[in-house]
Amino acid sequence: MYVLGISAYYHDSAAALLRDGEIVAAAQEERFTRKKHDAGFPKHALEYCLKEAGITLAEVDYVAFYDKPFLKFERLLETYVAFAPRGFESFRKAIPVWLREKLFLKDLLIKELKANAPDYDWDSRLRFSEHHLSHAASAFFPSPFAEAAVLTMDGVGEWATTSLAIGRGNQLEVVKEIHFPHSLGLLYSAMTYYTGFKVNSGEYKVMGLAPYGEPKYVQKILDHLIDVKEDGSFRLDQSYFNYCTGLTMTSQKFHDLFGGPPRKADEPLTQHHMDLAASVQAATEEIVLRLTRAIRHETGIKNLCLAGGVALNCVANGKVLRDGQFDNIWIQPAAGDAGGALGAALAIHHIHLSKPRTADGQDKMRGSYLGPAFEQADIEHRLTAAGAKFTVLTDAELFTTSANALAEGKALGWFQGRMEFGPRALGGRSVLGDARSPSMQSVLNLKVKYRESFRPFAPSVLREHVTDWFELDSDSPYMLLVANVVQKRRRAMTEAEQALFGIEKLNIPRSDIPAATHVDYSARVQTVHEVTNPRYHSLLSAFQQQTGCPVIVNTSFNVRGEPIVCTPEDAFRCFMGTEIEALAVGNCYLKKEHQDPALKLNYETAFELD
């Protein structure tokens, strides 16, 4: 039996395909269209999933959409009625889109499906899941657990913004919800907007900026913006926000509370903005901890799954892990809306069709390597057609040569195996660097990624050596847990260095792996496992043999504002448009100095800033 899951028409459209409950393929549409956060119908992602399974669309038994548009429209109308006459301008802009398109989404989906399989009765095969149920299903069903509490936190689905579900066997039931307009995700997005970053894409920048500041405004946030109870339930004071009725996130009252208007994107970051980022991050962590502690107390369940956009807050996740309330924690790597496509398919398969589920302690996400892969002959043909000059190496030669390049301080593009599903590059479509280099963090930010200098990078570490470098003794394959560098690997900062202005601390080495150590000694750790990514594991092992260090810097293979690369051609273009010095695509190895200078591109301004 095949079940196809789809998320679309809001942001981060995606498709995912199950065969008898097993995940065959999953991918975001943006990777194919090269349009960041593409919200359109995931035509290319769908076609890829079918190709991976070797079937046609007519062979799919059910198609599952990740939320219920009528409930979302009900929330829209009720919100405008509740706040009327305020919000008319926002209503005027939103309602034509709903009347023209989103309200008739079932017809729109059937039209798209019929374009591929015109003779099929899609009306009887199309199903709609609820938004938070889709998120919860994406987290519970692929998890290793037979039983788990599932916490979903995001901006908003239909009505729910935070929910608790209980999963047992092949069943999953949402038992508690907090409803719009009270939303932890929207609180974080409001501060994202206020500090000058783009909502729905810049939240991770606020998280990365937070360690440069002091959480001076936590109490102000808790006293004025959000009323939080001991069990983590909360309500937002809507007089400080504008997302219900306006076209912005924050109101004048919010601006008055924090001392002025929102920062414009081109204005410099000050210590004030860093303190605001630190404060909203600390408040978020406190709320999440209250929620998770209450969940453990109320349910007695020892396993926790996390999903929804807030579950991408790896700093908060690390705090939950260290809090020790749960024996085991598993986080869906595609925790945002893209993962809703997978969750919708899983919900239909297990809950609605009552198909059995095997929970054998194994992670069913396959390391999240669920996207396209390319055969060696195809890679060579594509690179040759693009004008690339390359050498074909054996596996052993590739790992040794690539490790040499890293040890020499070069930035290495690494394109191997299947593309990752979710926002993180996990060693399939990555740019790598030497974590021991004091300059690598700024080199990658300014010369490869073309992005803000303060942005931290994640370390990839061999799983068998993680405890020797980080205060972590559990799997973190999806780069969704933050842990501190162990004490013996740290370098203490002097009083003069401690007194530096936030960003000025950036270039002060703080550990044996300064390129992957944030200013507070933290790191967003990815543990690399031989079973799920043997080639990446072999590269790290070769690097360790040469240097004695099993840790390298891993960032996504793209520039700021560009989706992560999908094809060998994407990788070559990004290689030629940046200061990446070496590139490994399959067993093809490319050096920048060997390439035709006429093929050089300027990627610094090629994409809209995120």
Side-chain angles (χ1 to χ4, degrees):
M1 171 175 282
Y2 288 97
V3 181
L4 175 71
I6 291 173
S7 65
Y9 304 122
Y10 296 100
H11 56 86
D12 296 303
S13 295
L17 185 67
L18 308 179
R19 181 196 294 122
D20 297 327
E22 296 295 314
I23 306 169
V24 175
Q28 293 121 287
E29 184 69 2
E30 66 166 21
R31 306 293 171 84
F32 303 93
T33 63
R34 314 307 300 152
K35 178 183 176 184
K36 190 76 169 174
H37 304 301
D38 195 335
F41 182 81
K43 177 178 181 291
H44 302 87
L46 186 158
E47 289 173 352
Y48 153 68
C49 288
L50 296 175
K51 181 180 178 182
E52 188 69 35
I55 63 171
T56 66
L57 185 58
E59 294 173 81
V60 170
D61 297 278
Y62 290 94
V63 175
F65 191 71
Y66 81 129
D67 69 5
K68 293 187 173 179
F70 278 110
L71 285 179
K72 192 164 281 189
F73 185 63
E74 175 190 87
R75 188 247 302 165
L76 183 79
L77 289 179
E78 289 194 21
T79 300
Y80 284 129
V81 169
F83 286 91
R86 288 189 296 137
F88 177 75
E89 182 64 19
S90 174
F91 178 77
R92 187 180 66 81
K93 291 196 172 188
I95 204 68
V97 179
W98 277 92
L99 294 179
R100 182 176 65 248
E101 182 179 283
K102 292 183 179 179
L103 196 56
F104 305 102
L105 202 140
K106 182 177 181 180
D107 293 338
L108 186 60
L109 287 168
I110 289 175
K111 179 182 176 183
E112 294 282 3
L113 295 168
K114 277 187 175 293
N116 283 277
D119 300 325
Y120 205 63
D121 178 17
W122 288 112
D123 193 59
S124 65
R125 297 294 185 180
L126 182 59
R127 298 288 185 272
F128 292 82
S129 177
E130 289 195 10
H131 189 98
H132 269 231
L133 181 63
S134 295
H135 276 316
S138 77
F140 175 63
F141 290 125
S143 79
F145 312 136
E147 178 185 60
V150 188
L151 177 60
T152 297
M153 303 168 287
D154 63 4
V156 61
E158 294 90 359
W159 278 103
T161 66
T162 302
S163 65
L164 168 64
I166 305 298
R168 292 187 176 94
N170 69 341
Q171 290 302 301
L172 181 68
E173 181 185 4
V174 177
V175 295
K176 276 188 175 183
E177 292 181 339
I178 297 172
H179 284 178
F180 183 86
H182 309 292
S183 167
L184 184 57
L186 291 177
L187 170 67
Y188 208 94
S189 291
M191 193 63 79
T192 299
Y193 167 83
Y194 186 70
T195 50
F197 301 113
K198 192 176 287 187
V199 172
N200 285 334
S201 67
E203 284 78 4
Y204 58 94
K205 298 183 187 182
V206 174
M207 184 177 66
L209 189 64
Y212 295 101
E214 296 292 331
K216 296 179 178 178
Y217 305 108
V218 174
Q219 201 56 50
K220 187 172 281 191
I221 290 171
L222 297 177
D223 287 345
H224 295 275
L225 302 187
I226 185 166
D227 176 25
V228 188
K229 304 304 182 188
E230 274 305 306
D231 65 354
S233 59
F234 55 82
R235 293 183 64 84
L236 271 61
D237 184 338
Q238 289 302 305
S239 65
Y240 290 95
F241 302 93
N242 202 35
Y243 55 77
C244 282
T245 60
L247 303 175
T248 60
M249 292 298 297
T250 55
S251 71
Q252 186 60 47
K253 193 172 177 181
F254 189 107
H255 308 162
D256 293 341
L257 182 67
F258 293 111
R263 182 181 78 92
K264 292 183 172 65
D266 57 353
E267 291 179 344
L269 284 162
T270 67
Q271 189 64 51
H272 177 61
H273 299 118
M274 298 173 203
D275 293 342
L276 287 168
S279 300
V280 76
Q281 177 63 33
T284 298
E285 292 165 11
E286 175 62 25
I287 295 164
V288 172
L289 283 171
R290 290 192 194 185
L291 284 165
T292 52
R293 288 166 182 166
I295 288 169
R296 180 58 199 263
H297 176 74
E298 291 171 14
T299 67
I301 296 173
K302 66 179 182 179
N303 301 315
L304 177 69
C305 297
L306 296 173
V310 178
L312 294 172
N313 192 310
C314 49
V315 181
N317 296 343
K319 294 281 180 73
V320 172
L321 177 68
R322 290 188 294 277
D323 195 46
Q325 296 292 317
F326 293 90
D327 293 358
N328 305 290
I329 297 174
W330 193 88
I331 307 158
Q332 166 54 240
D337 274 17
L342 175 61
L346 288 164
I348 295 302
H349 183 82
H350 290 299
I351 303 171
H352 298 288
L353 299 176
S354 297
K355 298 296 182 182
R357 168 180 177 258
T358 301
D360 54 7
Q362 299 298 311
D363 181 335
K364 300 301 193 297
M365 282 295 291
R366 300 185 183 180
S368 211
Y369 305 110
L370 299 169
F374 297 84
E375 298 293 334
Q376 179 63 26
D378 190 24
I379 290 171
E380 293 177 28
H381 174 75
R382 287 166 176 263
L383 289 178
T384 300
K389 303 291 190 294
F390 57 86
T391 304
V392 179
L393 305 177
T394 65
D395 283 354
E397 291 169 338
L398 179 77
F399 302 138
T400 300
T401 303
S402 298
N404 279 336
L406 291 171
E408 291 168 1
K410 291 183 171 67
L412 171 71
W414 184 251
F415 184 108
Q416 303 290 329
R418 295 184 72 174
M419 182 178 70
E420 302 90 338
F421 182 50
R424 308 289 184 227
L426 303 169
R429 305 288 185 271
S430 293
V431 176
L432 309 175
D434 187 348
R436 304 169 304 156
S437 167
S439 62
M440 185 56 63
Q441 196 256 8
S442 59
V443 167
L444 288 177
N445 266 331
L446 300 178
K447 294 187 176 182
V448 174
K449 304 289 282 188
Y450 300 124
R451 68 185 195 181
E452 302 94 340
S453 63
F454 69 84
R455 302 268 290 277
F457 288 105
S460 292
V461 58
L462 292 170
R463 173 63 180 93
E464 51 268 34
H465 293 286
V466 66
T467 56
D468 193 41
W469 291 83
F470 303 100
E471 294 177 353
L472 179 71
D473 190 14
S474 62
D475 295 347
S476 181
Y478 304 127
M479 212 183 281
L480 286 171
L481 292 170
V482 162
N484 287 338
V485 174
V486 295
Q487 198 70 40
K488 68 179 180 180
R489 303 288 183 185
R490 297 185 193 181
R491 172 192 172 275
M493 293 178 71
T494 65
E495 284 189 22
E497 290 169 345
Q498 289 282 9
L500 291 172
F501 169 74
I503 294 293
E504 292 174 339
K505 295 178 182 178
L506 183 63
N507 296 319
I508 305 297
R510 292 166 299 283
S511 77
D512 294 345
I513 46 170
T517 305
H518 214 348
V519 294
D520 58 354
Y521 295 104
S522 69
R524 177 161 48 95
V525 180
Q526 180 200 2
T527 54
V528 179
H529 303 249
E530 187 173 13
V531 172
T532 51
N533 197 334
R535 293 178 74 79
Y536 195 34
H537 191 277
S538 294
L539 172 64
L540 269 164
S541 298
F543 184 75
Q544 183 194 24
Q545 288 169 11
Q546 291 186 31
T547 66
C549 178
V551 186
I552 60 176
V553 169
N554 174 13
T555 188
S556 55
F557 200 155
N558 61 334
V559 298
R560 180 184 179 191
E562 179 196 18
I564 294 173
V565 299
C566 178
T567 66
E569 294 93 332
D570 295 336
F572 181 66
R573 282 191 294 269
C574 191
F575 172 62
M576 294 303 293
T578 63
E579 295 183 49
I580 297 172
E581 294 146 297
L583 172 62
V585 185
N587 286 76
C588 297
Y589 191 79
L590 296 77
K591 293 183 177 180
K592 181 63 68 65
E593 61 265 28
H594 294 167
Q595 306 308 311
D596 182 352
L599 297 176
K600 185 170 175 59
L601 301 169
N602 180 7
Y603 257 39
E604 188 167 3
T605 57
F607 295 90
E608 181 183 352
L609 297 183
D610 58 355

